[in-house]
Amino acid sequence: MTFFKIKKVVLIRSVQAVFAAVFIMFVIRTYFWIRLPETNIQVSYSGQEEKLIIPPRPGIKGIEITGPQIQPLFFSVDLSRAGVHSLDFLQLQLIDPHADVKLTCTIDEQGRLLFLQKDILMEGHTEAGLMIQKALKTWIYTPYKQGTIKFWFNLPSKGRKVIIDLSGLKRKDSIPRHIPIYTGQIHLIDGLENSELQISG
Amino acid sequence: MAFKKRNNEKKGLSLPGLIDIIFLLLIFSLVTLSISQARVETKRRGDQSVEFPLPETRSTETEETGGILQTLLFQIERSDPENVQSPKIIYALFPSIKDSLNLEEAKIYAQRDSLFAPFPDNFLKMSDLAFSKTAPCGLIQWAIRKYKEDNFPKPDLANSVEIRADRNTEFRIVNFIMEQCSAYGDTIPRVVLRTLTAKESQNVY
Amino acid sequence: MFIKISDRNKEKIELVSLIDMIFILLVFFLVTSFVIKLNLQERSLYVPTPKNVLGRAQLLIQFVDENRIFWLDEEASTVVESIEENYGYLNDASLRDRILSNLTSNNIISLNQMDSKINHLISAANQDPFTNYFILIRCPNELPYFHVIDVIEKLSSTKYRNIKYGCVGGTFDDIRYCKRIYDVVEKDSKGNRRKNLRIDF
């Protein structure tokens, strides 16, 4: 081979070798860079004030182990029970648009809604009263509260047509004090708008 | 069709191939040289001669130690490494102001200045009060107090005291050092335990 | 038809040098990977110092001896709650003994069982980067401290570093002969009410 051909080959090969070397080094460097733990490659930007955050330190005066979150209970109509029927408010309005029915009911230990005839005021609105009773008889509540619950169906009212008074209810003694009991859905009246309903107590 | 006959010359040594090999060998040597240099440097910087077994861990939350003593270090080892029954000795190793002492040098200074003390054989059976009154515990309390007064003016995460102990060192000793540090509240919020960890992620160059 | 074949010297692919190149690259990678899998290196493990306050944690790992661990997590408060409900008439000492007898029989586990529970904890931590855990490790004085390091090592293999730990000295007898062990309702940092287990020394 002539001297110039060798020179040409040497030049070409040296360029190839340099490229190959650079590429290989880059691959290796990237490989190890990726494997580094995150903290080693984090770069903090200047100007950030470092606040002193002392990591949590173990205490020696007794032990407290975090327990499970306390889930609150909801006092509401128990929809999981079979035979629970809702009251069709629109139908009630069609039957008797001037219905004025008051019921004073009792919720027993099992959450059943109980009432006697003497607890119902429905003079002149018997049909509406019977329709309401038929539905309310099927309602069963979650057994977290007991006591009296009052319903007033005042259909002629321009404002609140249904008023439910819960002030006579008390939480059951068997439920530990630390468990909060919230009020959930306490009626099953279909077609009743929020603006027509008032819940007190 | 006429083909120009190829000259079937006998080819000698193929120079381009040789040149390829030479270049590759060159690259190979350069790279391995840089790795071995890094390794030697690491050996000089970080790989202390471990004269007793430290606890081993694969924890990714460890950090590399330097060869130079950065803070007060308590070294706990057996007086006779060959004899597991020999009493434990604690050395209080103080770094130099210029941060230029390595462990061996600091230990020599500690021996010169009598900053060491053996634990009594029955230290595990002692009550807390009796244990705290032993010579090595007195050394620990004094060393931490002195180092804290000179170097830790206020709470800082960087304030720490190191413990370099034989892996079989009883927890009582380590716990005592931690308790002495905690006496200063958040001023010394952490201690550093020296461990042996497998070197995995290392920069190649 | 004349096909003029150019008379240039075709560059042949040098198979020999290619093979050499491959072998050299192979050797190169083998050597570098061997070099990387290195010796043990001395490294620093940070451990927080104790504090003279109540030791709050999501989990307690108490070394009973070299081979057994007393493991207390959030399930323990549920156990204590049921014992308190059924045996609330007992005095504190008897109630404590009953609770500890129950916990001892169910919560003292081997090191292998502890490893398995820690793996579950780590999977849970890896699925929720916003939940922080603090593990309290209590070790008796006479145990070699490498046992604590072993536990710390297992706990620190999380993706988001959301498991923190601290170790203090203490024996299982401190718990067995504690003053009182009981449930207490407290709000956590997010305002959720939790039933925590407290041990007073």
Side-chain angles (χ1 to χ4, degrees):
Chain A
M1 243 188 189
T2 62
F3 173 72
F4 287 109
K5 275 191 179 169
I6 294 169
K7 205 172 168 186
K8 188 179 167 189
V9 166
V10 165
L11 193 64
I12 292 167
R13 295 298 184 199
S14 61
V15 168
Q16 283 178 342
V18 165
F19 274 119
V22 166
F23 177 73
I24 289 167
M25 280 185 171
F26 178 72
V27 166
I28 291 163
R29 183 200 166 123
T30 312
Y31 171 65
F32 284 110
W33 198 251
I34 284 166
R35 286 184 63 193
L36 275 177
E38 221 178 66
T39 48
N40 285 15
I41 56 172
Q42 267 174 2
V43 177
S44 60
Y45 52 91
S46 60
Q48 184 189 27
E49 256 191 20
E50 284 194 27
K51 270 198 297 190
L52 179 66
I53 301 170
I54 301 290
R57 292 166 60 196
I60 54 173
K61 266 170 72 169
I63 299 169
E64 184 167 300
I65 304 298
T66 307
Q69 203 173 320
I70 295 170
Q71 301 296 344
L73 297 172
F74 288 91
F75 175 71
S76 63
V77 177
D78 192 349
L79 298 171
S80 63
R81 297 292 199 109
V84 172
H85 295 307
S86 57
L87 173 66
D88 189 340
F89 193 67
L90 297 170
Q91 181 73 16
L92 183 69
Q93 281 178 314
L94 280 172
I95 290 171
D96 186 352
H98 301 291
D100 184 350
V101 179
K102 283 184 182 159
L103 298 97
T104 303
C105 311
T106 312
I107 293 180
D108 70 359
E109 266 209 14
Q110 280 81 42
R112 289 174 304 190
L113 194 63
L114 306 170
F115 47 86
L116 300 168
Q117 283 306 312
K118 63 177 177 67
D119 298 326
I120 305 168
L121 295 172
M122 55 178 183
E123 266 183 38
H125 306 282
T126 315
E127 206 178 341
L130 286 173
M131 187 182 171
I132 290 169
Q133 284 177 61
K134 192 176 168 194
L136 259 61
K137 237 191 301 199
T138 65
W139 293 2
I140 301 176
Y141 288 85
T142 48
Y144 306 138
K145 285 189 177 178
Q146 270 178 272
T148 52
I149 178 170
K150 293 180 185 168
F151 295 90
W152 183 18
F153 291 84
N154 185 15
L155 268 59
S157 163
K158 287 205 175 5
R160 313 286 181 178
K161 295 188 190 301
V162 178
I163 296 167
I164 303 175
D165 182 4
L166 305 175
S167 56
L169 289 174
K170 286 192 174 52
R171 64 187 288 145
K172 279 167 78 171
D173 292 336
S174 57
I175 305 226
R177 285 270 130 205
H178 65 265
I179 299 179
I181 300 176
Y182 301 125
T183 303
Q185 187 184 355
I186 52 155
H187 68 83
L188 274 182
I189 304 172
D190 294 339
L192 181 68
E193 292 180 13
N194 278 342
S195 56
E196 294 171 330
L197 172 69
Q198 182 182 315
I199 298 172
S200 60
Chain B
M1 282 203 273
F3 291 96
K4 189 167 183 179
K5 264 195 180 160
R6 185 176 290 233
N7 247 349
N8 279 331
E9 302 168 351
K10 216 178 180 176
K11 292 224 166 166
L13 213 55
S14 78
L15 270 176
L18 264 179
I19 292 164
D20 284 342
I21 292 169
I22 288 167
F23 270 117
L24 283 164
L25 278 171
L26 193 67
I27 293 161
F28 166 73
S29 326
L30 281 171
V31 173
T32 47
L33 185 69
S34 69
I35 292 171
S36 62
Q37 272 186 348
R39 193 180 167 189
V40 164
E41 208 188 291
T42 311
K43 233 183 159 48
R44 223 182 291 128
R45 276 191 302 117
D47 282 0
Q48 313 292 340
S49 60
V50 185
E51 57 273 36
F52 49 80
L54 294 176
E56 287 178 24
T57 173
R58 285 183 302 275
S59 171
T60 53
E61 290 195 3
T62 55
E63 287 183 11
E64 207 174 313
T65 61
I68 303 301
L69 215 54
Q70 305 282 353
T71 186
L72 173 63
L73 183 142
F74 291 104
Q75 178 152 305
I76 302 144
E77 56 186 72
R78 296 206 172 273
S79 51
D80 178 2
E82 307 295 316
N83 178 10
V84 292
Q85 303 298 328
S86 59
K88 291 195 172 60
I89 295 187
I90 184 166
Y91 293 88
L93 309 183
F94 285 79
S96 73
I97 295 165
K98 293 179 200 167
D99 281 347
S100 58
L101 283 181
N102 65 21
L103 276 180
E104 280 97 19
E105 290 160 354
K107 191 174 168 186
I108 292 167
Y109 281 114
Q111 283 166 333
R112 183 197 67 182
D113 298 337
S114 300
L115 294 178
F116 64 92
F119 284 92
D121 290 335
N122 61 339
F123 77 91
L124 282 175
K125 295 192 174 59
M126 288 178 172
S127 67
D128 288 346
L129 187 60
F131 180 64
S132 65
K133 290 193 159 102
T134 56
C137 290
L139 173 65
I140 292 168
Q141 288 165 338
W142 172 83
I144 292 174
R145 187 175 60 245
K146 177 168 168 44
Y147 196 75
K148 180 253 169 200
E149 280 166 5
D150 294 343
N151 296 281
F152 302 153
K154 58 180 179 147
D156 194 322
L157 208 54
N159 297 346
S160 63
V161 161
E162 296 195 4
I163 300 173
R164 189 168 184 266
D166 184 310
R167 69 194 297 273
N168 292 308
T169 300
E170 288 80 0
F171 187 73
R172 186 171 210 181
I173 301 171
V174 172
N175 190 36
F176 186 81
I177 296 172
M178 292 202 300
E179 282 175 349
Q180 293 310 305
C181 293
S182 76
Y184 301 100
D186 284 342
T187 305
I188 313 177
R190 305 191 291 188
V191 296
V192 172
L193 301 177
R194 292 277 191 112
T195 60
L196 285 179
T197 309
K199 280 191 278 194
E200 277 189 13
S201 53
Q202 214 182 354
N203 282 335
V204 178
Y205 41 84
Chain C
M1 201 111 151
F2 290 93
I3 300 165
K4 196 175 178 183
I5 307 291
S6 74
D7 189 16
R8 51 174 191 253
N9 264 338
K10 287 186 189 167
E11 285 279 332
K12 277 207 302 193
I13 295 171
E14 298 282 346
L15 263 181
V16 173
S17 60
L18 207 61
I19 291 167
D20 281 337
M21 193 161 75
I22 289 166
F23 273 121
I24 284 169
L25 279 174
L26 196 68
V27 165
F28 167 68
F29 281 117
L30 280 171
V31 168
T32 50
S33 65
F34 176 70
V35 163
I36 296 307
K37 270 182 214 159
L38 292 183
N39 301 330
L40 296 173
Q41 182 193 34
E42 204 166 306
R43 290 174 77 86
S44 303
L45 179 69
Y46 289 87
V47 174
T49 49
K51 211 168 171 178
N52 193 19
V53 296
L54 181 63
R56 292 177 191 274
Q58 275 71 37
L59 168 64
L60 168 71
I61 294 176
Q62 165 73 64
F63 275 92
V64 178
D65 52 39
E66 280 186 335
N67 301 311
R68 292 182 303 160
I69 302 289
F70 181 59
W71 176 283
L72 268 191
D73 57 15
E74 69 169 23
E75 291 174 6
S77 64
T78 316
V79 168
V80 171
E81 186 182 1
S82 76
I83 295 175
E84 280 178 340
E85 273 173 17
N86 295 327
Y87 297 97
Y89 56 87
L90 293 172
N91 63 26
D92 280 350
S94 307
L95 194 60
R96 177 204 68 197
D97 292 341
R98 189 165 276 275
I99 289 170
L100 279 166
S101 154
N102 186 303
L103 290 176
T104 305
S105 54
N106 295 322
N107 290 48
I108 289 189
I109 56 178
S110 66
L111 294 181
N112 285 339
Q113 287 171 309
M114 179 189 70
D115 287 350
S116 153
K117 282 180 178 279
I118 286 177
N119 287 337
H120 279 127
L121 176 68
I122 288 170
S123 324
N126 286 342
Q127 279 166 17
D128 185 5
F130 298 107
T131 300
N132 290 317
Y133 299 83
F134 186 77
I135 315 301
L136 181 61
I137 304 167
R138 295 179 93 247
C139 182
N141 285 336
E142 61 276 7
L143 231 59
Y145 83 112
F146 76 82
H147 288 289
V148 174
I149 305 268
D150 285 350
V151 174
I152 288 174
E153 182 201 353
K154 292 177 179 89
L155 291 172
S156 49
S157 55
T158 48
K159 246 194 289 186
Y160 307 108
R161 305 277 166 98
N162 53 345
I163 292 184
K164 303 289 176 201
Y165 45 78
C167 56
V168 300
T171 62
F172 180 58
D173 283 349
D174 294 338
I175 296 170
R176 206 205 311 247
Y177 302 116
C178 63
K179 220 192 302 185
R180 203 177 154 208
I181 177 167
Y182 56 102
D183 276 351
V184 59
V185 174
E186 283 188 352
K187 275 195 184 158
D188 63 13
S189 54
K190 292 180 186 164
N192 299 318
R193 289 155 68 91
R194 291 185 179 271
K195 193 143 210 202
N196 299 341
L197 175 66
R198 193 178 282 186
I199 300 174
D200 291 339
F201 291 145

mmCIF file of all heavy atoms in Angstrom, chain A residues 168-195:
data_model
loop_
_atom_site.group_PDB
_atom_site.id
_atom_site.type_symbol
_atom_site.label_atom_id
_atom_site.label_comp_id
_atom_site.label_asym_id
_atom_site.label_seq_id
_atom_site.Cartn_x
_atom_site.Cartn_y
_atom_site.Cartn_z
ATOM 1 N N GLY A 168 -86.509 15.303 68.713
ATOM 2 C CA GLY A 168 -86.834 14.288 69.716
ATOM 3 C C GLY A 168 -85.937 13.056 69.646
ATOM 4 O O GLY A 168 -86.116 12.104 70.405
ATOM 5 N N LEU A 169 -84.974 13.076 68.779
ATOM 6 C CA LEU A 169 -84.103 11.905 68.634
ATOM 7 C C LEU A 169 -82.846 12.059 69.485
ATOM 8 O O LEU A 169 -82.275 13.141 69.580
ATOM 9 C CB LEU A 169 -83.688 11.740 67.167
ATOM 10 C CG LEU A 169 -84.771 11.276 66.189
ATOM 11 C CD1 LEU A 169 -84.248 11.311 64.768
ATOM 12 C CD2 LEU A 169 -85.227 9.865 66.541
ATOM 13 N N LYS A 170 -82.394 10.924 70.046
ATOM 14 C CA LYS A 170 -81.147 10.933 70.841
ATOM 15 C C LYS A 170 -80.295 9.759 70.371
ATOM 16 O O LYS A 170 -80.825 8.704 70.010
ATOM 17 C CB LYS A 170 -81.469 10.767 72.318
ATOM 18 C CG LYS A 170 -82.044 11.998 72.943
ATOM 19 C CD LYS A 170 -82.080 11.868 74.461
ATOM 20 C CE LYS A 170 -82.529 13.142 75.138
ATOM 21 N NZ LYS A 170 -83.774 13.720 74.653
ATOM 22 N N ARG A 171 -78.994 9.921 70.427
ATOM 23 C CA ARG A 171 -78.120 8.827 70.011
ATOM 24 C C ARG A 171 -78.233 7.677 70.998
ATOM 25 O O ARG A 171 -78.438 7.879 72.182
ATOM 26 C CB ARG A 171 -76.674 9.264 69.859
ATOM 27 C CG ARG A 171 -76.009 9.727 71.138
ATOM 28 C CD ARG A 171 -74.623 10.297 70.887
ATOM 29 N NE ARG A 171 -73.665 9.260 70.538
ATOM 30 C CZ ARG A 171 -72.669 9.432 69.665
ATOM 31 N NH1 ARG A 171 -72.519 10.572 69.041
ATOM 32 N NH2 ARG A 171 -71.827 8.472 69.403
ATOM 33 N N LYS A 172 -78.066 6.494 70.507
ATOM 34 C CA LYS A 172 -78.180 5.323 71.385
ATOM 35 C C LYS A 172 -76.969 5.259 72.320
ATOM 36 O O LYS A 172 -75.843 5.560 71.919
ATOM 37 C CB LYS A 172 -78.240 4.045 70.533
ATOM 38 C CG LYS A 172 -79.640 3.777 69.984
ATOM 39 C CD LYS A 172 -79.627 2.730 68.928
ATOM 40 C CE LYS A 172 -79.533 1.334 69.511
ATOM 41 N NZ LYS A 172 -79.747 0.305 68.476
ATOM 42 N N ASP A 173 -77.213 4.824 73.536
ATOM 43 C CA ASP A 173 -76.147 4.755 74.549
ATOM 44 C C ASP A 173 -75.079 3.730 74.188
ATOM 45 O O ASP A 173 -73.922 3.853 74.585
ATOM 46 C CB ASP A 173 -76.739 4.387 75.914
ATOM 47 C CG ASP A 173 -77.600 5.521 76.440
ATOM 48 O OD1 ASP A 173 -77.374 6.673 76.017
ATOM 49 O OD2 ASP A 173 -78.510 5.241 77.251
ATOM 50 N N SER A 174 -75.472 2.730 73.417
ATOM 51 C CA SER A 174 -74.506 1.670 73.105
ATOM 52 C C SER A 174 -73.453 2.138 72.087
ATOM 53 O O SER A 174 -72.429 1.486 71.922
ATOM 54 C CB SER A 174 -75.237 0.447 72.548
ATOM 55 O OG SER A 174 -75.992 0.825 71.407
ATOM 56 N N ILE A 175 -73.699 3.268 71.448
ATOM 57 C CA ILE A 175 -72.721 3.757 70.463
ATOM 58 C C ILE A 175 -71.710 4.619 71.212
ATOM 59 O O ILE A 175 -72.087 5.590 71.885
ATOM 60 C CB ILE A 175 -73.421 4.585 69.369
ATOM 61 C CG1 ILE A 175 -74.521 3.735 68.774
ATOM 62 C CG2 ILE A 175 -72.408 5.090 68.367
ATOM 63 C CD1 ILE A 175 -74.672 3.662 67.350
ATOM 64 N N PRO A 176 -70.408 4.268 71.123
ATOM 65 C CA PRO A 176 -69.389 5.031 71.883
ATOM 66 C C PRO A 176 -69.441 6.517 71.535
ATOM 67 O O PRO A 176 -69.680 6.903 70.400
ATOM 68 C CB PRO A 176 -68.070 4.403 71.424
ATOM 69 C CG PRO A 176 -68.424 3.061 70.896
ATOM 70 C CD PRO A 176 -69.793 3.169 70.336
ATOM 71 N N ARG A 177 -69.182 7.316 72.523
ATOM 72 C CA ARG A 177 -69.298 8.763 72.405
ATOM 73 C C ARG A 177 -68.385 9.342 71.334
ATOM 74 O O ARG A 177 -68.686 10.370 70.749
ATOM 75 C CB ARG A 177 -68.927 9.415 73.745
ATOM 76 C CG ARG A 177 -69.977 9.278 74.813
ATOM 77 C CD ARG A 177 -70.936 10.438 74.759
ATOM 78 N NE ARG A 177 -72.295 9.951 74.763
ATOM 79 C CZ ARG A 177 -73.321 10.637 74.256
ATOM 80 N NH1 ARG A 177 -73.116 11.795 73.686
ATOM 81 N NH2 ARG A 177 -74.533 10.145 74.291
ATOM 82 N N HIS A 178 -67.238 8.667 71.131
ATOM 83 C CA HIS A 178 -66.246 9.274 70.233
ATOM 84 C C HIS A 178 -66.610 9.090 68.770
ATOM 85 O O HIS A 178 -66.016 9.713 67.893
ATOM 86 C CB HIS A 178 -64.851 8.670 70.491
ATOM 87 C CG HIS A 178 -64.755 7.206 70.163
ATOM 88 N ND1 HIS A 178 -64.927 6.224 71.108
ATOM 89 C CD2 HIS A 178 -64.533 6.573 68.995
ATOM 90 C CE1 HIS A 178 -64.798 5.043 70.511
ATOM 91 N NE2 HIS A 178 -64.565 5.227 69.242
ATOM 92 N N ILE A 179 -67.615 8.275 68.502
ATOM 93 C CA ILE A 179 -67.991 8.069 67.098
ATOM 94 C C ILE A 179 -69.050 9.107 66.736
ATOM 95 O O ILE A 179 -70.130 9.129 67.320
ATOM 96 C CB ILE A 179 -68.539 6.648 66.874
ATOM 97 C CG1 ILE A 179 -67.459 5.610 67.213
ATOM 98 C CG2 ILE A 179 -68.990 6.469 65.428
ATOM 99 C CD1 ILE A 179 -67.902 4.180 67.057
ATOM 100 N N PRO A 180 -68.754 9.976 65.785
ATOM 101 C CA PRO A 180 -69.743 10.999 65.425
ATOM 102 C C PRO A 180 -70.883 10.376 64.591
ATOM 103 O O PRO A 180 -70.654 9.458 63.807
ATOM 104 C CB PRO A 180 -68.945 11.993 64.578
ATOM 105 C CG PRO A 180 -67.779 11.229 64.067
ATOM 106 C CD PRO A 180 -67.526 10.098 64.998
ATOM 107 N N ILE A 181 -72.088 10.868 64.826
ATOM 108 C CA ILE A 181 -73.247 10.399 64.039
ATOM 109 C C ILE A 181 -73.800 11.593 63.276
ATOM 110 O O ILE A 181 -74.198 12.597 63.875
ATOM 111 C CB ILE A 181 -74.347 9.812 64.950
ATOM 112 C CG1 ILE A 181 -73.785 8.625 65.741
ATOM 113 C CG2 ILE A 181 -75.541 9.354 64.112
ATOM 114 C CD1 ILE A 181 -74.755 8.038 66.745
ATOM 115 N N TYR A 182 -73.797 11.491 61.976
ATOM 116 C CA TYR A 182 -74.311 12.555 61.140
ATOM 117 C C TYR A 182 -75.672 12.151 60.571
ATOM 118 O O TYR A 182 -75.999 10.972 60.488
ATOM 119 C CB TYR A 182 -73.346 12.848 59.988
ATOM 120 C CG TYR A 182 -71.958 13.257 60.445
ATOM 121 C CD1 TYR A 182 -70.834 12.583 60.001
ATOM 122 C CD2 TYR A 182 -71.781 14.311 61.341
ATOM 123 C CE1 TYR A 182 -69.566 12.948 60.420
ATOM 124 C CE2 TYR A 182 -70.521 14.675 61.765
ATOM 125 C CZ TYR A 182 -69.423 13.989 61.303
ATOM 126 O OH TYR A 182 -68.166 14.356 61.731
ATOM 127 N N THR A 183 -76.423 13.155 60.191
ATOM 128 C CA THR A 183 -77.751 12.885 59.624
ATOM 129 C C THR A 183 -77.631 12.716 58.122
ATOM 130 O O THR A 183 -77.096 13.598 57.440
ATOM 131 C CB THR A 183 -78.706 14.040 59.944
ATOM 132 O OG1 THR A 183 -78.744 14.200 61.367
ATOM 133 C CG2 THR A 183 -80.103 13.744 59.431
ATOM 134 N N GLY A 184 -78.122 11.615 57.641
ATOM 135 C CA GLY A 184 -78.083 11.359 56.198
ATOM 136 C C GLY A 184 -79.457 11.602 55.589
ATOM 137 O O GLY A 184 -80.168 12.532 55.949
ATOM 138 N N GLN A 185 -79.838 10.687 54.724
ATOM 139 C CA GLN A 185 -81.138 10.846 54.053
ATOM 140 C C GLN A 185 -82.235 10.297 54.967
ATOM 141 O O GLN A 185 -82.329 9.092 55.175
ATOM 142 C CB GLN A 185 -81.121 10.072 52.742
ATOM 143 C CG GLN A 185 -82.358 10.321 51.895
ATOM 144 C CD GLN A 185 -82.380 9.470 50.630
ATOM 145 O OE1 GLN A 185 -81.424 8.753 50.334
ATOM 146 N NE2 GLN A 185 -83.462 9.535 49.903
ATOM 147 N N ILE A 186 -83.052 11.188 55.520
ATOM 148 C CA ILE A 186 -84.012 10.719 56.514
ATOM 149 C C ILE A 186 -85.432 10.620 55.976
ATOM 150 O O ILE A 186 -86.372 10.431 56.741
ATOM 151 C CB ILE A 186 -84.015 11.623 57.757
ATOM 152 C CG1 ILE A 186 -84.207 13.084 57.326
ATOM 153 C CG2 ILE A 186 -82.734 11.494 58.540
ATOM 154 C CD1 ILE A 186 -84.788 13.903 58.411
ATOM 155 N N HIS A 187 -85.587 10.752 54.675
ATOM 156 C CA HIS A 187 -86.923 10.543 54.121
ATOM 157 C C HIS A 187 -86.765 9.868 52.754
ATOM 158 O O HIS A 187 -85.687 9.899 52.141
ATOM 159 C CB HIS A 187 -87.680 11.871 53.965
ATOM 160 C CG HIS A 187 -87.079 12.758 52.898
ATOM 161 N ND1 HIS A 187 -87.377 12.616 51.558
ATOM 162 C CD2 HIS A 187 -86.213 13.786 53.005
ATOM 163 C CE1 HIS A 187 -86.704 13.537 50.872
ATOM 164 N NE2 HIS A 187 -85.986 14.246 51.724
ATOM 165 N N LEU A 188 -87.866 9.269 52.331
ATOM 166 C CA LEU A 188 -87.879 8.676 50.984
ATOM 167 C C LEU A 188 -89.084 9.257 50.267
ATOM 168 O O LEU A 188 -90.097 8.587 50.059
ATOM 169 C CB LEU A 188 -87.998 7.152 51.070
ATOM 170 C CG LEU A 188 -86.719 6.364 51.230
ATOM 171 C CD1 LEU A 188 -87.027 4.873 51.241
ATOM 172 C CD2 LEU A 188 -85.735 6.651 50.109
ATOM 173 N N ILE A 189 -89.020 10.531 49.973
ATOM 174 C CA ILE A 189 -90.141 11.193 49.306
ATOM 175 C C ILE A 189 -89.670 11.568 47.906
ATOM 176 O O ILE A 189 -88.817 12.444 47.746
ATOM 177 C CB ILE A 189 -90.610 12.438 50.083
ATOM 178 C CG1 ILE A 189 -90.964 12.048 51.528
ATOM 179 C CG2 ILE A 189 -91.805 13.083 49.391
ATOM 180 C CD1 ILE A 189 -91.261 13.209 52.437
ATOM 181 N N ASP A 190 -90.208 10.916 46.908
ATOM 182 C CA ASP A 190 -89.812 11.190 45.527
ATOM 183 C C ASP A 190 -90.576 12.391 45.003
ATOM 184 O O ASP A 190 -91.777 12.530 45.235
ATOM 185 C CB ASP A 190 -90.125 9.974 44.629
ATOM 186 C CG ASP A 190 -89.281 8.769 45.005
ATOM 187 O OD1 ASP A 190 -88.227 8.978 45.640
ATOM 188 O OD2 ASP A 190 -89.689 7.628 44.692
ATOM 189 N N GLY A 191 -89.925 13.234 44.291
ATOM 190 C CA GLY A 191 -90.572 14.387 43.663
ATOM 191 C C GLY A 191 -90.599 15.607 44.562
ATOM 192 O O GLY A 191 -91.177 16.627 44.196
ATOM 193 N N LEU A 192 -89.970 15.530 45.710
ATOM 194 C CA LEU A 192 -89.973 16.670 46.629
ATOM 195 C C LEU A 192 -88.711 17.482 46.393
ATOM 196 O O LEU A 192 -87.606 16.947 46.434
ATOM 197 C CB LEU A 192 -90.004 16.154 48.081
ATOM 198 C CG LEU A 192 -90.031 17.219 49.170
ATOM 199 C CD1 LEU A 192 -91.351 17.971 49.160
ATOM 200 C CD2 LEU A 192 -89.831 16.566 50.539
ATOM 201 N N GLU A 193 -88.891 18.767 46.140
ATOM 202 C CA GLU A 193 -87.713 19.599 45.901
ATOM 203 C C GLU A 193 -87.111 20.047 47.225
ATOM 204 O O GLU A 193 -87.812 20.135 48.234
ATOM 205 C CB GLU A 193 -88.109 20.818 45.066
ATOM 206 C CG GLU A 193 -88.494 20.417 43.646
ATOM 207 C CD GLU A 193 -88.896 21.609 42.811
ATOM 208 O OE1 GLU A 193 -88.653 22.749 43.247
ATOM 209 O OE2 GLU A 193 -89.477 21.379 41.720
ATOM 210 N N ASN A 194 -85.840 20.383 47.184
ATOM 211 C CA ASN A 194 -85.153 20.821 48.412
ATOM 212 C C ASN A 194 -85.793 22.062 49.004
ATOM 213 O O ASN A 194 -85.874 22.222 50.223
ATOM 214 C CB ASN A 194 -83.681 21.113 48.104
ATOM 215 C CG ASN A 194 -82.872 19.835 48.090
ATOM 216 O OD1 ASN A 194 -83.319 18.818 48.629
ATOM 217 N ND2 ASN A 194 -81.726 19.863 47.457
ATOM 218 N N SER A 195 -86.271 22.926 48.123
ATOM 219 C CA SER A 195 -86.858 24.176 48.626
ATOM 220 C C SER A 195 -88.190 23.936 49.318
ATOM 221 O O SER A 195 -88.690 24.799 50.037
ATOM 222 C CB SER A 195 -87.055 25.151 47.460
ATOM 223 O OG SER A 195 -87.845 24.524 46.465
#
